[in-house]
Short mmCIF file of all heavy atoms in Angstrom, two decimals:
data_model
loop_
_atom_site.label_atom_id
_atom_site.label_comp_id
_atom_site.label_asym_id
_atom_site.label_seq_id
_atom_site.Cartn_x
_atom_site.Cartn_y
_atom_site.Cartn_z
N LEU A 553 139.90 127.66 196.55
CA LEU A 553 139.77 126.36 195.79
C LEU A 553 138.55 126.48 194.80
O LEU A 553 138.26 125.55 194.09
CB LEU A 553 139.27 125.25 196.72
CG LEU A 553 140.45 124.83 197.85
CD1 LEU A 553 139.98 123.76 198.74
CD2 LEU A 553 141.85 124.68 197.15
N GLU A 554 138.04 127.71 194.59
CA GLU A 554 136.98 127.88 193.55
C GLU A 554 137.72 127.92 192.17
O GLU A 554 138.82 128.28 192.05
CB GLU A 554 136.39 129.22 193.77
CG GLU A 554 135.30 129.66 192.81
CD GLU A 554 133.99 128.98 193.10
OE1 GLU A 554 133.28 129.31 194.11
OE2 GLU A 554 133.63 127.95 192.38
N LEU A 555 136.97 127.34 191.09
CA LEU A 555 137.48 127.42 189.76
C LEU A 555 137.72 128.92 189.31
O LEU A 555 136.87 129.77 189.73
CB LEU A 555 136.65 126.72 188.83
CG LEU A 555 136.56 125.19 188.84
CD1 LEU A 555 135.48 124.71 187.90
CD2 LEU A 555 137.88 124.62 188.53
N ALA A 556 138.85 129.21 188.70
CA ALA A 556 139.11 130.58 188.28
C ALA A 556 138.02 131.06 187.42
O ALA A 556 137.61 132.19 187.39
CB ALA A 556 140.45 130.71 187.65
N SER A 557 137.47 130.13 186.60
CA SER A 557 136.42 130.49 185.63
C SER A 557 135.11 130.98 186.48
O SER A 557 134.39 131.83 186.00
CB SER A 557 136.03 129.39 184.71
OG SER A 557 135.74 128.28 185.37
N ALA A 558 134.85 130.22 187.46
CA ALA A 558 133.73 130.52 188.35
C ALA A 558 133.92 131.82 188.97
O ALA A 558 133.00 132.72 189.09
CB ALA A 558 133.42 129.38 189.32
N ALA A 559 135.14 132.12 189.48
CA ALA A 559 135.41 133.38 190.16
C ALA A 559 135.28 134.49 189.16
O ALA A 559 134.71 135.57 189.62
CB ALA A 559 136.85 133.41 190.69
N LEU A 560 135.59 134.35 187.98
CA LEU A 560 135.50 135.36 186.98
C LEU A 560 134.01 135.74 186.77
O LEU A 560 133.60 136.86 186.66
CB LEU A 560 136.12 135.03 185.63
CG LEU A 560 135.84 135.93 184.44
CD1 LEU A 560 136.55 137.25 184.76
CD2 LEU A 560 136.44 135.34 183.08
N GLY A 561 133.18 134.69 186.76
CA GLY A 561 131.81 134.89 186.61
C GLY A 561 131.13 135.57 187.78
O GLY A 561 130.35 136.44 187.52
N LEU A 562 131.61 135.27 188.94
CA LEU A 562 131.07 135.93 190.17
C LEU A 562 131.49 137.39 190.11
O LEU A 562 130.70 138.33 190.52
CB LEU A 562 131.60 135.35 191.39
CG LEU A 562 131.16 133.93 191.67
CD1 LEU A 562 131.93 133.28 192.80
CD2 LEU A 562 129.61 133.86 192.01
N MET A 563 132.77 137.75 189.71
CA MET A 563 133.24 139.17 189.56
C MET A 563 132.41 139.94 188.61
O MET A 563 132.06 141.05 188.87
CB MET A 563 134.69 139.16 189.23
CG MET A 563 135.63 138.57 190.41
SD MET A 563 137.24 138.09 189.71
CE MET A 563 138.06 139.74 189.53
N ASN A 564 132.19 139.34 187.56
CA ASN A 564 131.30 140.07 186.46
C ASN A 564 129.83 140.22 186.86
O ASN A 564 129.13 141.14 186.27
CB ASN A 564 131.38 139.26 185.09
CG ASN A 564 132.76 139.42 184.57
OD1 ASN A 564 133.41 140.42 184.62
ND2 ASN A 564 133.21 138.46 183.72
N ARG A 565 129.34 139.36 187.68
CA ARG A 565 127.89 139.40 188.03
C ARG A 565 127.68 140.24 189.27
O ARG A 565 126.48 140.48 189.59
CB ARG A 565 127.41 137.99 188.37
CG ARG A 565 127.20 137.16 187.00
CD ARG A 565 126.24 136.00 187.33
NE ARG A 565 126.93 135.03 188.23
CZ ARG A 565 127.78 134.06 187.83
NH1 ARG A 565 127.98 133.92 186.47
NH2 ARG A 565 128.31 133.17 188.63
N ARG A 566 128.69 140.96 189.79
CA ARG A 566 128.41 141.95 190.82
C ARG A 566 127.61 143.04 190.40
O ARG A 566 127.71 143.44 189.17
CB ARG A 566 129.79 142.42 191.38
CG ARG A 566 130.70 141.32 192.01
CD ARG A 566 130.14 140.86 193.33
NE ARG A 566 130.25 141.94 194.29
CZ ARG A 566 129.66 141.92 195.57
NH1 ARG A 566 128.91 140.83 195.82
NH2 ARG A 566 129.74 142.87 196.32
N PRO A 567 126.83 143.74 191.21
CA PRO A 567 126.05 144.89 190.80
C PRO A 567 126.99 145.91 190.00
O PRO A 567 126.57 146.50 189.07
CB PRO A 567 125.54 145.58 192.08
CG PRO A 567 125.47 144.34 193.05
CD PRO A 567 126.62 143.43 192.64
N ILE A 568 128.16 146.15 190.57
CA ILE A 568 129.19 146.90 189.80
C ILE A 568 130.37 145.89 189.60
O ILE A 568 131.01 145.52 190.56
CB ILE A 568 129.63 148.11 190.60
CG1 ILE A 568 128.42 149.07 190.83
CG2 ILE A 568 130.76 148.76 189.80
CD1 ILE A 568 128.91 150.31 191.68
N PRO A 569 130.61 145.42 188.36
CA PRO A 569 131.69 144.48 188.21
C PRO A 569 133.00 144.93 188.75
O PRO A 569 133.34 146.04 188.67
CB PRO A 569 131.78 144.39 186.62
CG PRO A 569 130.31 144.78 186.17
CD PRO A 569 129.94 145.81 187.19
N ILE A 570 133.74 143.95 189.26
CA ILE A 570 135.01 144.25 189.95
C ILE A 570 136.20 143.67 189.21
O ILE A 570 136.00 142.59 188.46
CB ILE A 570 135.01 143.90 191.42
CG1 ILE A 570 134.80 142.35 191.51
CG2 ILE A 570 134.08 144.73 192.24
CD1 ILE A 570 134.80 141.82 192.92
N THR A 571 137.34 144.11 189.31
CA THR A 571 138.49 143.57 188.54
C THR A 571 139.51 142.91 189.53
O THR A 571 140.40 142.16 188.98
CB THR A 571 139.20 144.67 187.82
OG1 THR A 571 139.64 145.67 188.77
CG2 THR A 571 138.25 145.34 186.73
N VAL A 572 139.30 142.97 190.79
CA VAL A 572 140.20 142.35 191.68
C VAL A 572 139.50 141.78 192.90
O VAL A 572 138.46 142.30 193.28
CB VAL A 572 141.32 143.32 192.08
CG1 VAL A 572 140.80 144.48 192.89
CG2 VAL A 572 142.40 142.63 192.88
N VAL A 573 139.88 140.60 193.36
CA VAL A 573 139.23 140.05 194.50
C VAL A 573 140.27 139.36 195.44
O VAL A 573 141.25 138.81 194.95
CB VAL A 573 138.13 139.15 194.06
CG1 VAL A 573 138.74 137.89 193.35
CG2 VAL A 573 137.28 138.54 195.13
N PHE A 574 140.01 139.33 196.74
CA PHE A 574 140.75 138.55 197.65
C PHE A 574 140.19 137.14 197.82
O PHE A 574 139.12 136.91 197.86
CB PHE A 574 140.77 139.26 199.04
CG PHE A 574 141.84 140.34 199.19
CD1 PHE A 574 141.31 141.71 199.00
CD2 PHE A 574 143.08 140.08 199.50
CE1 PHE A 574 142.29 142.70 199.08
CE2 PHE A 574 144.03 141.13 199.65
CZ PHE A 574 143.61 142.48 199.44
N ALA A 575 141.18 136.20 197.87
CA ALA A 575 140.87 134.83 198.19
C ALA A 575 141.04 134.65 199.75
O ALA A 575 142.00 134.97 200.27
CB ALA A 575 141.78 133.81 197.45
N VAL A 576 139.98 134.16 200.41
CA VAL A 576 139.97 134.13 201.85
C VAL A 576 139.67 132.62 202.29
O VAL A 576 138.81 131.95 201.75
CB VAL A 576 138.83 134.98 202.39
CG1 VAL A 576 138.80 134.81 203.87
CG2 VAL A 576 139.31 136.48 202.10
N ALA A 577 140.41 132.18 203.27
CA ALA A 577 140.23 130.83 203.82
C ALA A 577 140.19 131.04 205.40
O ALA A 577 141.10 131.62 205.97
CB ALA A 577 141.31 129.95 203.50
N ASP A 578 139.08 130.64 206.05
CA ASP A 578 138.88 130.80 207.42
C ASP A 578 138.96 132.18 207.87
O ASP A 578 139.52 132.51 208.88
CB ASP A 578 140.03 129.95 208.30
CG ASP A 578 139.85 128.44 208.06
OD1 ASP A 578 138.72 127.98 207.88
OD2 ASP A 578 140.94 127.77 208.01
N GLY A 579 138.42 133.07 206.98
CA GLY A 579 138.37 134.44 207.32
C GLY A 579 139.68 135.28 207.10
O GLY A 579 139.67 136.56 207.13
N LYS A 580 140.72 134.51 206.70
CA LYS A 580 141.98 135.24 206.43
C LYS A 580 142.35 135.34 205.03
O LYS A 580 142.21 134.28 204.27
CB LYS A 580 143.07 134.53 207.34
CG LYS A 580 142.85 134.61 208.80
CD LYS A 580 143.93 133.89 209.58
CE LYS A 580 143.79 133.96 211.04
NZ LYS A 580 144.78 133.29 211.87
N PRO A 581 142.88 136.43 204.56
CA PRO A 581 143.25 136.50 203.13
C PRO A 581 144.54 135.69 202.86
O PRO A 581 145.57 135.75 203.57
CB PRO A 581 143.68 138.02 202.90
CG PRO A 581 143.96 138.45 204.27
CD PRO A 581 143.10 137.66 205.26
N VAL A 582 144.44 134.81 201.84
CA VAL A 582 145.46 133.89 201.43
C VAL A 582 146.05 134.26 200.03
O VAL A 582 147.04 133.64 199.61
CB VAL A 582 145.20 132.48 201.47
CG1 VAL A 582 144.84 132.06 202.95
CG2 VAL A 582 143.94 132.18 200.65
N GLY A 583 145.32 135.17 199.32
CA GLY A 583 145.76 135.52 198.00
C GLY A 583 144.89 136.66 197.44
O GLY A 583 143.83 137.02 198.05
N ILE A 584 145.45 137.18 196.32
CA ILE A 584 144.53 138.25 195.62
C ILE A 584 144.59 137.87 194.13
O ILE A 584 145.72 137.54 193.69
CB ILE A 584 145.11 139.64 195.94
CG1 ILE A 584 144.22 140.67 195.38
CG2 ILE A 584 146.53 139.83 195.50
CD1 ILE A 584 144.59 142.15 195.81
N LEU A 585 143.52 138.06 193.44
CA LEU A 585 143.43 137.67 192.07
C LEU A 585 142.91 138.87 191.26
O LEU A 585 141.89 139.44 191.59
CB LEU A 585 142.45 136.48 191.93
CG LEU A 585 142.23 135.95 190.51
CD1 LEU A 585 143.47 135.31 190.02
CD2 LEU A 585 141.06 134.84 190.56
N HIS A 586 143.67 139.20 190.17
CA HIS A 586 143.17 140.24 189.30
C HIS A 586 142.57 139.69 188.04
O HIS A 586 142.97 138.55 187.56
CB HIS A 586 144.39 141.22 188.94
CG HIS A 586 143.98 142.46 188.31
ND1 HIS A 586 143.55 142.58 187.02
CD2 HIS A 586 143.87 143.74 188.88
CE1 HIS A 586 143.34 143.83 186.81
NE2 HIS A 586 143.46 144.60 187.85
#
Side-chain angles (χ1 to χ4, degrees):
L553 298 181
E554 183 77 76
L555 288 176
S557 57
L560 176 62
L562 293 171
M563 293 163 71
N564 285 332
R565 286 194 294 272
R566 298 287 295 168
I568 300 177
I570 59 177
T571 59
V572 65
V573 64
F574 277 96
V576 171
D578 297 325
K580 298 180 179 181
V582 294
I584 186 170
L585 181 67
H586 196 283

